[in-house]
Amino acid sequence: MENDIQQKIVRYEKFVNESLRKDLKDTLDARDAVYDQISEYLKLGKDIEVIKDNGLTEMKTQVDLGSNFYVQAKIPDTKHIFVNVGFGFHAQLTLDEALAFITQKEAFLQKKAERLTEKAAQIRAHIKIVLEAMAEIMKLSKGPLPRNLEL
């Protein structure tokens, strides 16, 4: 009987550590990636506003090629920009079209981030339920507490 209870405790610990905690980490990483996308779109929106407010028709800027390696770039015409619309596609939009797209995309991404936050909360709740069940089993069997009873 005692050996059976210990096996169940080990199985629950394994489920929490190998399945639920991994799912929680993956969900939180996905949510962080969505927040990064939101940040990029908001930054682009602010840059477009600066271009429009100052009436810039051409400009010089620095472009990050990756790993914080920047090169100078000259933009001869600021009437149109290319915007990443998803799935590897870029669309040439006017500044006003780009601002409208950014507003819609930001709202979509916010909803996606909220869904991921809710999913993370559900996973945390599942972890807590399993840990509480393990604690209850340990109380009933009066054995040693499991090694990992923290969320």
Side-chain angles (χ1 to χ4, degrees), residues 20-148:
L20 292 178
R21 290 190 194 272
K22 181 186 177 301
D23 290 347
L24 180 61
K25 182 188 179 311
D26 292 345
T27 301
L28 293 175
D29 288 345
R31 185 189 65 181
D32 291 344
V34 169
Y35 282 140
D36 289 342
Q37 283 183 314
I38 291 170
S39 172
E40 289 294 320
Y41 279 110
L42 292 176
K43 181 180 170 198
L44 177 60
K46 288 185 192 296
D47 291 345
I48 291 171
E49 289 293 335
V50 167
I51 291 170
K52 286 179 65 176
D53 291 344
N54 294 323
L56 300 175
T57 57
E58 65 177 39
M59 62 186 281
K60 288 184 180 180
T61 186
Q62 290 189 339
V63 178
D64 185 4
L65 296 179
S67 300
N68 288 326
F69 183 77
Y70 290 88
V71 295
Q72 292 231 344
K74 181 180 180 196
I75 303 170
D77 181 20
T78 60
K79 291 179 184 146
H80 293 88
I81 62 170
F82 286 92
V83 178
N84 181 355
V85 294
F87 298 108
F89 292 100
H90 293 79
Q92 183 178 2
L93 304 173
T94 65
L95 298 180
D96 292 328
E97 291 171 338
L99 286 174
F101 172 78
I102 289 168
T103 301
Q104 292 176 345
K105 186 72 170 186
E106 191 255 335
F108 169 77
L109 291 172
Q110 284 290 354
K111 288 179 184 174
K112 186 175 181 179
E114 288 171 11
R115 286 192 305 270
L116 289 169
T117 299
E118 290 171 5
K119 183 178 178 183
Q122 288 176 341
I123 294 170
R124 281 189 183 105
H126 290 147
I127 290 171
K128 186 174 182 178
I129 289 169
V130 171
L131 293 177
E132 288 175 358
M134 288 170 52
E136 192 65 30
I137 290 171
M138 294 308 293
K139 285 180 189 176
L140 293 175
S141 70
K142 296 181 180 144
L145 289 175
R147 296 182 303 258
N148 190 0

